[in-house]
Amino acid sequence: MPCGVTRTTLLAMTHFPPPAEELRLLDAELRQLDSRRTQLLARRAWLVAALQQTQQQATAQAQTRPPSAAPPRPETAAPSVQNVLLVLGGVLLTLAAAVFTLVSWGHMGITGRALVLGAVTLAALAGPALLLQRGLRSTAESVAGLGLALTVLDAYALHEAALPGTDAAGYAAAAAAVLAGLWSAYGLLPATAALRLPLPCALAAAQFPLLLWALSADAGPYVISAALLVTAGLDTVVALRVTAASVRICAVVGAYATGGCGVLGAGWLSVTADGPGAAARAGALLLLAAAIALCAAWRVPGPGAWHALGLAAASGLLTVGALGGVARFAVPAEWAVPAHLVFGVALLAGLRAGRLLPDTVRHGVTWASAAVQALALLWALPVVALVVMGPAGWLGRVWSGAPSDARAAVAVEAPWPSDAAAAPVVLLAVAAVLALAVRGEQWRPRARLGALGLLWAAALLLPAILAVPHLAGMSVLAVMTAAALYLSRTTTSGARVTALVLALVTAVDLTLVSLASQTATLVVLSVLTALPAAASWRTSLVPFTAPAALVYAAALGSATGAAADWPPARTALLVLAVPVAAALLAPRLAACRATVPVEAVGAAAGLLAVGLALPDPPMLALVLASCGVVAAGTALRPDRRPVGYAATALFVLAAWVRLAAWEVGMPEAYTLPVTVPALLVGVLRRRRDPQVSSWTAYGAGLAATLLPSLVAAWGDPHWTRPLLLGTGALLVALLGARHHLQAPLVLGGSVLALVTLHELAPYIVQVTGALPRWAPPALAGLLLLALGATYEQRIRDVRRVREVLGRMN
């Protein structure tokens, strides 16, 4: 085609069939595509069925085929089997040698005995060297263990054959020392230096010579304890100097075992010492143990920091125990704990002088001092508990008479401890340490709070310990309460909480102490009401002080009524002042977050007033009505609308109690005070929300009066109540029909029908008795025929009535 042919010319040359022909061609092509699609779908279905059948056959074959046998897995590794066999062989040989020595020894002469044991022992000791040369290390260890056991049997055989008259304990001490030396030399020989067993065995044997020597010499407990501690010191040296792990572990175990036994013995001797000389000897032993622990803590390498910390703490505790055990004979018995505390505090002073000590040791000694102080506080805790909780005994002896002094006011039902005089010293000493010795930025504020608590406890103990007059003791408690409230003005949250807790505990203690005298009770409750109220001017304290003031005001009202010889019901009127004050103060304290606590205290005071008024129904009605007024006033606040339900319930209860007091027996007198407010609330609710159901708005109110009155009307022989109830039910039904309300219509109509049935029942009975016996069945049959004849119309009428009721709200 020439290059000059244009696009328009090419389009003109393209052939387009007529529309009918093109439509025929398209239909034929579509028919071919449909036919091909049908063939492909049929082929696909056959392939899917074939694949499913093949998979099912393969699954069935796999289930019926027995599982393939896997090669057995060895349960024990070859080296473990080898070690077990070697250990078992060595044990069996050792047992055989022991049986030979103990049983078959007497069948041979002295020469034969020596030759047999010597030859077997030398062979057992020489064998490991040859086995090590051949690379059989495990076998060499087993044979070496047999040789070491044979040396023990040689020592026993020597004692039985050549030295039967010697002391058993002394010979055992010498034999243990000789065996320890021999085994050490054997383990250090060049040929057997690779063995791991001889040196730990030598160290284990070295644990007994000194102890057995002390026992053989009939030494006293001091020498035995010293022998144990010296052995522990030698073990400590070995543990710090030797690098072999097995020897070091054995030395550590030996040091702790012998050292622990020695410390227990020395401690028991110190506790049971009957004089300064015995206490000094026991203290020397404890100081020896402390020195060993301190040296070990000083030399423990870096990775054992926690180990060194524990050893240093143990050293400090042992030092305090040693010095305190001696000092307790220089002071009275009740000052023994403060004497120990002095040495515990002195540990901290020693740390400041010992700047060369490692940090781990210093921390350990610090923990030891802290432990001594904690134990001293634990000793003083019962005295503090007696002073704080002892006055609770006055709850059973209210206003029985003022005690002679502050100690008698505290120890009401418990004896006064003889060592109580030292408790304030302990508290003050620990408080001084916390205030002066703690330097860390994180722990210093907490330590100061702890010191404050301890100072408060010491001040609380002083009046009882000094046996000051009762009035002076109460004055001290009042001053402490006021001081704690003043300290709670601080901005630090922890200090504020601590001061408030101290103020609360002191105030409770002061209240209990004041129960001994009527005048003291009234004065103390007045002061404790005024102090929190005055402290409530501080905004941050209001959530705590305002409820406390209301609590003490309620207590003051109760005590005032009791002091005036008022009956409890009359006293309830004084207590009602607290709910009134709480209701007035609560909305003004919303910014201080004290609304809920104040309202809670007011509600509790209202319950107290109700409980006091229970014996007097007229007064109870007045109290309930007053509480209802307070609740209604609270419900006027937008955020306290639900309190209106409580106010309604209180008013209803007040009305019921008043009616019961008047001996009113008509149920309507009790139900109408419920029905009228309920209906008013329903009317208001439907005005706000017209979609509210009439059952929700009026059902409860109407049922509250109609149903009890219906029950009463059925048992009432007179005509007045049924007439009034029927009239009221008719009016309710008419109102429901007028306003298309389902609840009034159904309840009013039902009650009206039941009242009518009740009133007409005697006449129905009379008519029934006058008729012949065949008349009722005949009438029933006629009724059924009439109903059957108009069944469809009756069904339509019933449906229409149901629809009408359904359209009512």
Side-chain angles (χ1 to χ4, degrees):
M1 181 179 292
C3 296
V5 179
T6 63
R7 181 181 182 89
T8 305
T9 305
L10 292 175
L11 292 174
M13 293 175 63
T14 302
H15 174 69
F16 291 99
E21 181 67 18
E22 185 176 2
L23 181 61
R24 186 183 64 79
L25 294 176
L26 289 176
D27 291 339
E29 188 69 24
L30 289 173
R31 285 193 296 271
Q32 292 180 1
L33 290 176
D34 291 339
S35 176
R36 181 61 176 167
R37 185 175 184 275
T38 304
Q39 294 177 0
L40 293 176
L41 289 175
R43 181 63 178 173
R44 181 183 181 280
W46 183 84
L47 291 174
V48 169
L51 287 176
Q52 291 178 351
Q53 184 177 3
T54 303
Q55 291 178 356
Q56 292 176 357
Q57 293 177 357
T59 303
Q61 293 177 0
Q63 292 178 352
T64 57
R65 184 183 306 164
S68 57
R73 179 183 176 184
E75 296 183 358
T76 307
S80 300
V81 175
Q82 167 192 306
N83 294 333
V84 170
L85 294 176
L86 291 175
V87 171
L88 182 60
V91 170
L92 291 177
L93 287 175
T94 303
L95 291 176
V99 171
F100 169 77
T101 305
L102 297 175
V103 178
S104 301
W105 183 259
H107 299 290
M108 301 179 66
I110 185 64
T111 305
R113 302 170 189 174
L115 290 176
V116 170
L117 274 180
V120 174
T121 303
L122 290 176
L125 293 177
L130 299 176
L131 293 173
L132 288 174
Q133 292 178 1
R134 294 178 177 272
L136 303 175
R137 180 175 185 141
S138 298
T139 307
E141 294 284 356
S142 298
V143 176
L146 175 61
L148 298 179
L150 289 174
T151 56
V152 177
L153 295 176
D154 290 339
Y156 170 76
L158 180 61
H159 178 268
E160 292 296 324
L163 304 171
T166 58
D167 180 55
Y171 179 80
V178 172
L179 288 177
L182 291 176
W183 291 351
S184 299
Y186 180 71
L188 296 175
L189 290 176
T192 58
L195 296 175
R196 298 179 180 177
L197 192 59
L199 292 179
C201 290
L203 189 59
Q207 307 301 312
F208 302 100
L210 292 178
L211 177 61
L212 294 175
W213 171 80
L215 293 175
S216 65
D218 292 332
Y222 293 95
V223 177
I224 294 175
S225 299
L228 290 172
L229 292 175
V230 171
T231 303
L234 296 176
D235 289 334
T236 303
V237 173
V238 173
L240 294 175
R241 294 302 184 101
V242 177
T243 58
S246 59
V247 179
R248 177 176 294 179
I249 293 174
C250 186
V252 170
V253 173
Y256 277 112
T258 56
C261 294
V263 167
L264 289 177
W268 177 254
L269 292 173
S270 178
V271 171
T272 58
D274 55 356
R281 290 194 297 272
L285 294 176
L286 291 176
L287 289 177
L288 174 61
I292 294 173
L294 182 61
C295 293
W298 200 327
R299 298 299 181 183
V300 167
W306 287 103
H307 196 182
L309 183 67
L311 289 172
S315 175
L317 292 175
L318 291 173
T319 303
V320 172
L323 300 177
V326 176
R328 67 188 178 92
F329 288 96
V331 296
E334 61 270 15
W335 294 94
V337 173
H340 285 80
L341 179 61
V342 169
F343 293 111
V345 175
L347 290 177
L348 298 177
L351 285 180
R352 296 188 177 277
R355 298 290 183 179
L356 299 179
L357 293 175
D359 291 340
T360 306
V361 176
R362 294 167 61 86
H363 292 161
V365 176
T366 302
W367 279 108
S369 177
V372 173
Q373 297 176 54
L375 291 174
L377 290 179
L378 189 63
W379 171 83
L381 183 60
V383 183
V384 179
L386 175 62
V387 173
V388 173
M389 296 184 293
W394 290 109
L395 292 174
R397 307 178 183 182
V398 177
W399 297 351
S400 59
S404 58
D405 52 30
R407 182 179 299 178
V410 168
V412 182
E413 297 179 352
W416 182 254
S418 59
D419 54 354
V425 178
V426 171
L427 297 174
L428 292 175
V430 178
V433 172
L434 290 176
L436 301 176
V438 179
R439 298 295 184 182
E441 294 295 332
Q442 180 181 1
W443 290 98
R444 186 169 180 79
R446 302 176 186 177
R448 288 182 174 179
L449 293 179
L452 176 62
L454 293 176
L455 288 174
W456 168 83
L460 192 66
L461 296 181
L462 287 178
I465 291 175
L466 299 177
V468 300
H470 179 53
L471 181 60
M474 289 194 300
S475 301
V476 171
L477 293 177
V479 172
M480 291 176 62
T481 304
L485 287 175
Y486 180 80
L487 291 176
S488 61
R489 300 174 59 189
T490 180
T491 57
T492 306
S493 60
R496 184 189 307 118
V497 172
T498 302
L500 287 173
V501 171
L502 297 181
L504 175 62
V505 175
T506 311
V508 172
D509 195 35
L510 176 59
T511 303
L512 294 175
V513 170
S514 68
L515 294 178
S517 171
Q518 176 179 317
T519 305
T521 301
L522 296 176
V523 173
V524 166
L525 291 178
S526 301
V527 172
L528 292 180
T529 302
L531 283 178
S536 298
W537 293 107
R538 185 81 174 182
T539 306
S540 59
L541 302 180
V542 174
F544 307 97
T545 55
L550 292 176
V551 168
Y552 280 106
L556 178 61
S558 302
T560 302
D565 291 331
W566 287 0
R570 191 174 179 183
T571 305
L573 297 177
L574 294 177
V575 179
L576 279 178
V578 175
V580 174
L584 295 176
L585 291 175
R588 294 173 175 79
L589 302 177
C592 305
R593 297 181 297 179
T595 301
V596 175
V598 168
E599 289 178 343
V601 173
L607 291 176
L608 176 61
V610 172
L612 292 174
L614 281 177
D616 190 352
M619 189 61 68
L620 177 60
L622 178 59
V623 171
L624 289 172
S626 302
C627 292
V629 171
V630 175
T634 303
L636 295 177
R637 293 158 48 192
D639 56 338
R640 292 293 186 269
R641 297 298 188 196
V643 183
Y645 297 105
T648 303
L650 289 171
F651 283 130
V652 170
L653 288 176
W656 286 357
V657 172
R658 184 70 262 183
L659 292 173
W662 286 335
E663 298 181 356
V664 175
M666 294 185 299
E668 291 79 10
Y670 295 89
T671 57
L672 286 176
V674 179
T675 297
V676 174
L679 293 179
L680 291 177
V681 172
V683 170
L684 295 176
R685 186 170 182 181
R686 279 186 59 82
R687 285 185 178 180
R688 293 181 182 177
D689 186 7
Q691 301 300 323
V692 174
S693 172
S694 62
W695 288 101
T696 303
Y698 307 120
L702 292 174
T705 293
L706 293 177
L707 297 182
S709 297
L710 177 63
V711 174
W714 272 61
D716 192 349
H718 303 286
W719 59 271
T720 308
R721 177 177 279 111
L723 177 61
L724 294 177
L725 179 59
T727 304
L730 177 62
L731 292 176
V732 170
L734 292 176
L735 288 174
R738 171 68 179 80
H739 297 283
H740 300 282
L741 299 176
Q742 190 178 100
L745 180 59
V746 173
L747 289 175
S750 301
V751 172
L752 178 61
L754 292 174
V755 170
T756 304
L757 177 63
H758 175 265
E759 293 300 313
L760 295 178
Y763 302 101
I764 295 174
V765 171
Q766 291 178 4
V767 172
T768 304
L771 291 175
R773 292 189 176 182
W774 54 265
L779 292 175
L782 293 174
L783 180 62
L784 291 176
L785 289 176
L787 290 175
T790 59
Y791 182 76
E792 185 177 0
Q793 181 64 33
R794 296 295 180 270
I795 293 297
R796 188 180 299 114
D797 295 340
V798 170
R799 289 177 178 173
R800 187 178 296 112
V801 171
R802 186 176 61 186
E803 292 175 357
V804 171
L805 290 176
R807 287 194 297 269
M808 292 183 179
N809 192 354

